[in-house]
Amino acid sequence: MLRIHFSELDLARTRLAATSDPLWEIAGSLHRFQSRKGRWAYAGWFRSARLQLHRRGLERAVRNVLLPLYPRATYFPDFLTPVGTDGSIEAGAELILATPGRRIRHEMALLDQAVGAPAWVGQLADLGTRKEFVRLLRDYHEAVVAPYQDHVRARVDAERAARCRALLDGGVEGLLASLGQGSGMRWRPPVLEASYPEDRDLHLNGRGLTLVPSYFTWGQPVSFADPELPPVLWYPLLDEHRSPQADTDSSGRSLVALLGRTRAAALHAAASGATTGELARAAGVSASSASRHATALRDAGLITSVREGAQVLHTLTPAGASVLRAAGERG
């Protein structure tokens, strides 16, 4: 178990990231290749990713280079997921290139102790080798992560809407308590407990905590191994308790039956995040009718829905936001 210890100053400095982290999503997606847990939740992505890797000739590089560096184990090098990417793969690549060689050699030694590492990994301390590695990361991201970027963003936006509601209702402690609904975490003031592969305490010491929702993380959150690095917790958006309702392939579904006063009102209400009851009030219909309209909007790929306790929160997907903009609405 991971126990994260908060002070009052830490609570004041805790924040929720605005976007997912592209380098962490690379790591999480590589972990998905190494486990059958949660495979059902990523079935469509898994098929597409393997096809794209084959078409681009990246299978061998992924197997021989990336998987050994990102083992699904108790440790993989922290420098591979640096802080400060601001949602940009290019910014992340620059941070990896700027990593001191001494740190890379140290973390590769830790990797070797933890799971064993190929002899070549020490070469990453050389800037030229690291540039080749970064090119591979960009190619991998373009092949299997970037095509899902809008979908991941929709999930993150839905998550942020849910956490912001918890923040407004209960402050930062309310936000931390709400994380326990499906993310393997529990808030026991002043400690946030998380399911973890090892027993560990992380004292924030006034630095605060950055919470980063991650689409490809499954089952339990992950933090840096080095306690001296800025405290970051990547936590899963999906798990066995919250089925990804918007993850089904809806590309063949028709939008013909979508438009109309009631569904337009519901879609507009979802622009700022709305529960099924709030959709009903906005559209002037019963809750059961609002639920049916929400299902139609979700099946058409215009909203995404996340269950929060007894309620379901609906937010726009990028496609839904585009429909509102095209209609002259402001989402």
Side-chain angles (χ1 to χ4, degrees):
M1 175 175 289
L2 172 65
R3 291 172 293 274
I4 304 176
H5 299 262
F6 288 76
S7 66
E8 290 185 2
L9 183 57
D10 293 314
L11 290 173
R13 291 179 174 174
T14 291
R15 59 181 288 267
L16 182 65
T19 64
S20 61
D21 183 331
L23 289 182
W24 182 259
E25 297 301 353
I26 287 175
S29 67
L30 288 165
H31 291 166
R32 301 284 59 78
F33 283 120
Q34 300 174 64
S35 173
R36 298 195 64 84
K37 290 184 177 180
R39 182 67 60 85
W40 60 270
Y42 303 92
W45 170 83
F46 189 77
R47 290 191 297 269
S48 174
R50 294 193 65 174
L51 179 61
Q52 288 302 316
L53 292 176
H54 176 72
R55 287 178 174 174
R56 296 175 185 236
L58 292 173
E59 290 172 308
R60 178 176 297 181
V62 169
R63 182 171 59 252
N64 296 336
V65 178
L66 296 185
L67 293 181
L69 287 175
Y70 297 83
R72 189 175 178 274
T74 56
Y75 178 81
F76 71 90
D78 288 332
F79 84 90
L80 296 173
T81 53
V83 175
T85 65
D86 294 325
S88 166
I89 182 67
E90 294 304 323
E94 291 301 318
L95 288 168
I96 290 178
L97 292 175
T99 306
R102 178 183 300 177
R103 176 184 170 187
I104 292 175
R105 285 189 290 270
H106 171 68
E107 293 190 4
M108 289 306 176
L110 293 177
L111 177 65
D112 191 42
Q113 293 173 12
V115 296
W120 59 262
V121 297
Q123 298 175 24
L124 285 172
D126 175 72
L127 182 59
T129 302
R130 205 149 68 249
K131 286 181 178 179
E132 294 179 10
F133 171 71
V134 163
R135 280 195 290 271
L136 173 58
L137 285 183
R138 289 193 183 100
D139 290 343
Y140 176 86
H141 183 271
E142 182 181 354
V144 304
V145 177
Y148 275 70
Q149 193 164 319
D150 285 347
H151 185 72
V152 171
R153 181 61 197 232
R155 297 292 308 182
V156 171
D157 285 348
E159 171 68 11
R160 282 175 57 82
R163 297 307 136 235
C164 285
R165 281 174 170 256
L167 178 66
L168 290 172
D169 291 341
V172 176
E173 292 199 59
L175 183 153
L176 293 173
S178 73
L179 292 171
Q181 300 170 6
S183 299
M185 292 182 277
R186 179 171 59 174
W187 173 241
R188 296 167 62 94
V191 178
L192 180 64
E193 297 178 342
S195 174
Y196 218 65
E198 59 183 353
D199 197 57
R200 180 182 166 204
D201 287 274
L202 174 59
H203 294 271
L204 300 179
N205 297 326
R207 295 173 296 172
L209 179 69
T210 299
L211 296 160
V212 184
S214 170
Y215 182 80
F216 286 107
T217 297
W218 179 264
Q220 60 190 22
V222 183
S223 185
F224 282 128
D226 185 351
E228 298 303 315
L229 291 173
V232 179
L233 191 69
W234 293 273
Y235 69 93
L237 286 171
L238 307 179
D239 68 14
E240 58 265 41
H241 303 299
R242 289 196 291 180
S243 174
Q245 297 178 17
D247 289 356
T248 56
D249 181 5
S250 59
S251 60
R253 300 184 185 228
S254 173
L255 299 181
V256 174
L258 173 64
L259 297 179
R261 186 196 65 81
T262 301
R263 288 180 186 168
L267 188 65
H268 188 273
S272 55
T275 64
T276 303
E278 289 167 344
L279 292 185
R281 289 190 289 275
V285 297
S286 67
S288 59
S289 178
S291 181
R292 290 193 295 272
H293 287 300
T295 297
L297 292 170
R298 186 169 59 249
D299 288 347
L302 300 184
I303 67 171
T304 185
S305 305
V306 176
R307 179 165 293 280
E308 293 295 318
Q311 296 183 324
V312 176
L313 182 66
H314 310 282
T315 58
L316 295 181
T317 65
S322 295
V323 168
L324 283 186
R325 285 196 297 270
E329 301 287 347
R330 290 185 178 272

